[in-house]
Amino acid sequence: MSRIARARRGLRRAVRYALLTWLAVTVGSVLLLRWLPPPTTSFILQNRIAAMRAGYGFYPYPYHWVDYQHIAPVMALAVIAAEDQNFRQHHGLDLSGIRQAIRDNQYRDRPRGASTITQQTAKNLFLWRGQSWLRKGIELYFTALLELLWPKQRILEVYLNVAQFGGSVFGVEAAARTYFNCSAAELTREQAALLAAVLPSPSLLHVDAPSDYLRQRQRWVLTQMRRLGPGYLQGL
């Protein structure tokens, strides 16, 4: 066997091992998180690194896990109404939502996205901020894993616990305690709608100082919650 042939064979073996390792690590991690609360997320770690670089030291983030049954149902309904009204029907990608976003963005100064709750959960848990084809491809890979290996209620439970509701506020329990001095189980419809209304831009929209735009979005979320109805959550 020639030197070139041996090099090619070695390269193929290395690629095969790398792919098998990637699959084992990623599938294993997603399977574990089906039952175990995430100890942290990629976005929290990135915020901590940014805080350290800015000279704030090891900045604490009030991330507190709560099980789904200890989250007010109106909060679960609010994030679905605000972010992903086809959550029950799609398998990770909302194709109708993507087509609608493309049409809407032709007439909007501020383009809106069409990421599903599953995509946002994958992004918060595993990915870095920014836009690139590589990042989007990895996001779609983890989105498929979540939809394949987790039930819908688990996806929603994790999303509620890892979503960013403010610059340093991650998860619905931390948000409820920070902004309303109550637990996630005690949130009212109005409070839940206000929290869900900041999700597109948690660094720009502020629950503790709501702008007219945020109040308008809160009213829209409340309308969508009434349209969906509490029965939407049954059978997740």
Side-chain angles (χ1 to χ4, degrees):
M1 183 181 296
S2 69
R3 183 181 303 173
I4 294 177
R6 285 197 300 270
R8 287 175 177 173
R9 184 176 179 180
L11 178 60
R12 286 196 297 268
R13 185 183 297 114
V15 170
R16 185 164 60 248
Y17 286 158
L19 288 174
L20 289 174
T21 301
W22 165 262
L23 286 172
V25 170
T26 55
V27 173
S29 299
V30 171
L31 274 175
L32 282 175
L33 293 178
R34 173 171 175 161
W35 294 283
L36 299 178
T40 188
T41 72
S42 174
F43 273 29
I44 290 176
L45 290 175
Q46 290 172 69
N47 273 32
R48 281 188 168 147
I49 292 171
M52 292 175 70
R53 287 178 173 173
Y56 294 107
F58 190 75
Y59 192 84
Y61 285 89
Y63 165 63
H64 305 287
W65 174 271
V66 284
D67 293 333
Y68 185 80
Q69 62 266 29
H70 296 141
I71 300 172
V74 290
M75 188 67 231
L77 186 63
V79 298
I80 290 174
E83 296 291 288
D84 188 2
Q85 295 187 20
N86 292 322
F87 178 65
R88 288 185 61 164
Q89 290 77 37
H90 66 65
H91 299 287
L93 288 179
D94 183 4
L95 299 180
S96 63
I98 292 172
R99 288 192 292 267
Q100 184 63 48
I102 292 172
R103 288 193 293 267
D104 291 349
N105 288 340
Q106 296 176 6
Y107 309 101
R108 292 169 62 99
D109 295 330
R110 180 187 298 176
R112 73 176 183 90
S115 292
T116 63
I117 284 175
T118 313
Q119 288 176 271
Q120 294 180 53
T121 304
K123 180 172 60 177
N124 273 271
L125 283 175
F126 301 113
L127 299 175
W128 62 94
R129 289 184 172 88
Q131 296 293 333
S132 70
W133 288 110
L134 174 63
R135 198 199 68 87
K136 181 56 79 172
I138 298 175
E139 176 188 307
L140 293 177
Y141 169 77
F142 276 108
T143 296
L145 284 185
L146 294 183
E147 287 282 341
L148 181 65
L149 300 176
W150 292 6
K152 285 285 189 179
Q153 188 181 102
R154 179 60 175 177
I155 295 172
L156 183 58
E157 178 183 41
V158 173
Y159 176 69
L160 287 165
N161 274 283
V162 304
Q164 185 178 10
F165 292 95
S168 61
V169 181
F170 289 83
V172 64
E173 181 70 13
R177 294 191 180 278
T178 300
Y179 299 123
F180 305 116
N181 196 29
C182 69
S183 70
E186 299 170 319
L187 288 167
T188 67
R189 289 180 66 88
E190 289 72 21
Q191 291 169 343
L194 185 59
L195 288 176
V198 307
L199 287 172
S201 303
S203 298
L204 300 176
L205 302 174
H206 305 287
V207 176
D208 52 352
S211 62
D212 291 341
Y213 169 77
L214 184 56
R215 287 296 187 188
Q216 178 184 357
R217 182 165 167 78
Q218 178 194 27
R219 291 191 292 271
W220 177 83
V221 173
L222 285 167
T223 299
Q224 299 306 306
M225 290 169 68
R226 287 191 291 271
R227 187 181 67 82
L228 291 175
Y232 187 95
L233 297 174
Q234 295 176 3
L236 283 179

